[in-house]
Structures are given as C-alpha cells and as structure tokens.
Amino acid sequence: MIHVKNLVKRYGKLVALDHFSLDVQDGEIFGLLGPNGSGKTTAINCILSLLTYDKGEISLFGEPMSPTNYKSKKKIGVVPQNVAVFNELTVQENIDYFCGLYVPEKAARKPLVEEAIEFAGLADFRRFLPKKLSGGLLRRLNIACGIAHKPELIFLDEPTVAVDPQSRNSILEGIRALNASGATIIYTSHYMEEVEQLCSRIMIMDKGRAIATGTREELTALIHTGEKLTVETPALPPAILEQIRNLPNVLRADHGDGHLKADCKGDGHPIIDVLDLLRQNNVSFGQVYSEPPTLNDVFLEITGKQLRD
Amino acid sequence: MFGNIYCKRILVSVRNKGTLIWTWIFPLMMATLFYFAFSGLQDAELLKTIPAGIVVSEEYESDTALRTTLQAVSDPEEGFLELHTYETREAAAEALTSGEIDGFFSLENGSPKLSVSKNDLNQTILKSFLDQYVQTRHAVISLLEKGDTDVSQILDLFQTETWTEELSLSKNVPSETVNYFFALLAMVCMYGGFQGLDSVSYLQANLSPLGARRTLSPAKRFPMVFFDLLAALTVHMACMLFLLAYLVLILRVDFGTGLVPVIVTCLFGSFLGMSFGSFVTAISRAKEGVKVAVIISVSLACSFGAGMMVSGINYKIAKTLPVLAWLNPAARISDALYCLYYYDGYGQYFLNLGILAAMTLAFSIVTAFFLRRQRYESI
C-alpha cells in the first residue's frame, strides 16, 4: 500500500531523512518509533506530498504520490500532530467540514459524521466549541476530523501527546477498531509502550534513518539483551555482585535501593543461575521479577542511547 | 463542496471575536464619535443671522425708506439681520463693544452710517448691504427729481441683472464632516484584509496546521480558496452594509446620492482590502500577530492619508505628493465617495474604481503566485 525507496530530505546542511525506505502492507498497523527529531513527521509529510524532497520514490496505492493525486488523497485520512480544527466551529461542525472535503454530498456525509462523533466519544460535546474541550477530548476531535470519511489509509502522527491515561486508552482502542474495520494505519510515536501494544510491525528511526524494522519479537531477537532480572536483596556484598557479573548469561548487573538488577543474554537460564548463586552465598532475597526485553533495549543496544533522550 | 466551505466559513467569520471587534464594533464606535464630535462643525458651516443695531432717532423715524428696508431684511423667516434698536448712539456703541452686535446703523444729516469695531465677514456683509442701499436710494431720488420718470425705470433699479451664469460644481451642500465618514468607510474596506488573512492562512500548509489539513484533502485548491474568499466577501459586505445602515438610518449621514453607487464603491474597496490581506499573509511566514499588526497599521495610515483624523490632509497630500495620494487605496475609496457627493459626472468616480481594481488585481496576482505552491520546503 505504501512504498518508499531511498528518500532523502535535507534542510540546508541537516539531513532529515537519509535514504529512508518503507513498505507497508494492507491491513497493518505500522509503527514509526523514534525520539523527537528522528524524522518521523518529516517522513509522513514527504509521503503525503506536503514537503518537497531531494531524492527518492514514493508511491501510494500503487501510484506515484503527488499533490494533485486526488484519487489517492480521497482514500487517505490524516490526524496531524498539532490539533488542526476551527476554533469557531462546534465539534459537529468541524467534523462535518473536514468530512465534507472528502464527501461533498450532504446526505452521504451525515451518517459518517454521526459515526465519527460516536466513535470518538464526543456525542455529549457535539455543540461545544473546541476551547471548551479538555486536552483529551480535543485530541479525539482531531482524530474524528481525520477519519470521518472512512479512509483506507490513516496516518496518525503522535495522536496521544499530552493526553491523560484514560483518553489515551480510549484513543488506542479506537485505533484498533479502525484497523479491525479494514483501515491500514501508520502510527508515529515516541511512546514505545503504545507502539509495542498497538502495532503489528514497527520501524525504529533515529537521525532520519530506519535502524530496524520488524515485529516486536523480530526486533527484540535482533539484540543480545534477553530478559531483565530484578531481585529484592536488601544487602549484597560487592564480591557476590562481581560473581554475578561474571556469570556466563549475564551482560550487566548492578545493586541499588535494595534491588539487584541484571540484564541477561537471550539464551540459557539466567534466573536459576543468579538465584543459585545468592542461595549458595547465604544472601537473603525477596521478590523476583523477570521482564522480556523492550523496544527501548533494542534502541539502546543499536544506538547506545535511550529512546527518550 | 461549495455549500460546506461557504457556510462554515461564514460561521467562522461571524464567530471570530477579532473580526467582530475590528470590523463591526470599532467602526460603529468611530462613526458615533465622529457624529458627536463634528455635529457642531456642520452647524457652523450654515450662515447665521447677523446681529446688528439701529439708533432710533427722530430722523430715523421719519426716514420711511430705511426703516422699511431694515424691517424687510430683519424678517425672522427670510432676513439676514437680527435687528436690535437703541435709543442713543452711546447705547448702540456700548452693545457693539460688548459684542452683542456686530455693527449698528445711525442716520447723520440724512445719510445712513455704519459703525463696526472690527473687519470680519459679518461686518463686510453689513457694509455691502449699506452700500447697495445708499446707491439705490440715490438713483431713485435722481430719477424722481427729473420729473418725467417712468415707474418701470424705478422698478428696474430693484432688479439685479446678472451677466454671468452661476454653475454649481456640487449637487449637494458642501460639508466638511461627510469627508470623515468617507474616510471611515475606506478604513473598514481596508479591514477586509482580516478576511484575506484568514482565508490564506487556512489554506497554506506552511502557515497553519489547518492549512496543512486542508491541503491534504482531495478538494482542489483554487475552488477551495475561491469559495472561501466568496464567503469572506459576503461577511465583509454584510459588515459594510451594517455600517452604512447605521450611518444613514441612525446618524442620518447624507451621502448625497443614491446608495447603490456607494455600495459599489464599498464592494470595490472590500475587494481591495481582502486582496491586500491575502497578499500580506501569502508573502511572509511571520507570525499571525505580526500580519494583523501590519494590516491594522497600513489601514490606519491609509485612512489618515484619506483625511480620517485630520481634515484636509488628503488635499495637502494630493497637492504635494500626488503619487502617494493615487497609490493610497483608502484615499481612492474616499475620493470615489467624494465624487459621488459633489460631482455630477462619473468620470473621476470611475477612474478611482479603476485604480482600486488595478491594485486588487496586482495584489491578487502576487498572492496567486505564492498560493500555487502545494509542496513546501519546510512546514
């Protein structure tokens, strides 16, 4: 559905997109994950023909994308990062206006607008002006304006920024519902938990480059880091900590705040080895937690920095 | 699509507080201010009766001709004198000194004399009146002394023969105050710039998130901006008509002509104002507040040049800097209304409209040049 090859976009000397390539299939929820400034929004704006680019190929629905490709534009829905609605129009009028740019016939538009209002949970606020809405409701209005015309392909650019947890869950549920109804979704975020929960495939971006692409499992398999072990140990002699660090399946280990934290390799049985060592040395311990590696670990191992740096 | 864009844009405009204040409320306040500030000025322009005195002596009582003439010219309905009578010359002189009267007549050895304390317009009128009276009186006496005078010859003396034809340049009474209202209308036309600003900002992806969202839609660009501007023009013309109605029906401002050409002038002015606002918005990526400030400043400066704040400044500019006067859109709008008020012909009026149309076209071409871009270097 989306094919991007070797896209290069420069702002003067700054390379915003560096030979960026992307392929998205029908029915996917594709996540673009990366820290702020990594080039996610620039990539989307280039794909949508809003920005010029220096080099590369972009096609949507099998056709080259251009500002006058109205046929493709009709099938696309966009939820921009910044809320883009008329402050002087009510919730219902805003949705009707933007839906009207895609569906000119009023009769055909009416049920779509109603559906979008219900979908976004804005039925009680339909006559409210945007300034009367909370941040979460405003984001939901922004989404409703982008999806009311039932697009086949939806771009959601950081739709949950500055949103309370309750609204965030509601938005994520809505996105799943849109996908279930047949829409392909491109979702950008710097919140890795959202992307992990939501997306069937993920691309991790940094400095305008795609540094890894795949399912969550495929991405975590790319790195050496396996599960992350946390053991409640009020006191841990330094010599024992050193022995733990020297275990064959342990990559890193530290002790602080009464907890031993160890990053383990992807194979072997690190939990058993660590606990055996503690028991043999009479180190008392309490609760034990084990977490699988996250996308942040993937990002950390590939780039050497935290995803939210 | 037309109905959707047109109707919603009208709603956006009428609910916009900035537009409401600057183009609806502010002009009404200015009009009301002008009305109260300049109502005295209008009265001052009318010729008032001149306060004058006559010393009622025995000689005066016996001079039937003078008495009858003074009674005629001090008629409360049609006369131009407000005649005060005094018993003595001293009493009349005292009234003259105190400013109660502008001059007084007295008879000395059968000849009427005029006494004034200064040389001003009213004193000149009194002097002219007396000269004409004395001249006619002498002529009548001379004719009667000849003995065989025909009555028709005497009557001829009282008929003023004019050998030149008096042509009025104006079909309406000259008025200083009406120019202020012309300039006010010109200022509101220029405030159409706010509508142009909104229309272009709502369309350009590099100027607002709304612009980006609209650019991404499958709606074609020029129909979209055309419908948008049409709605903006509708709202602005409604604002102009509202102001005109207030001026004509409430403040009773006389535009001296049928209102249709006045409305046509406002329409041309509104086109100009909107195209100016579109131009300012399209050519720069400065913040919206800066563009609003530019539109307000230019509008006020142009209105100043059209004579909104200082009476007659427009004439001085036209005399000393004619190019500036011709390039000032507010001055052209104001001058078009001036032509409708004073001139019988429409030549100068159409010239002004032509200049406004040319300016509108120039602003629109530059704006269109910037609007034709649909992909941006940066957003």
Side-chain angles (χ1 to χ4, degrees), chain B residues 60-75:
Chain B
Y60 171 68
E61 292 289 358
S62 61
D63 191 336
T64 316
L66 180 62
R67 213 174 58 240
T68 312
T69 305
L70 284 176
Q71 277 170 3
V73 296
S74 58
D75 180 84

Side-chain angles (χ1 to χ4, degrees), chain B residues 120-140:
Chain B
D120 217 334
L121 178 66
N122 284 357
Q123 286 77 4
T124 308
I125 293 169
L126 292 175
K127 171 93 171 44
S128 300
F129 160 71
L130 187 63
D131 288 347
Q132 197 176 353
Y133 169 76
V134 171
Q135 204 178 350
T136 313
R137 186 168 173 263
H138 276 296
V140 171

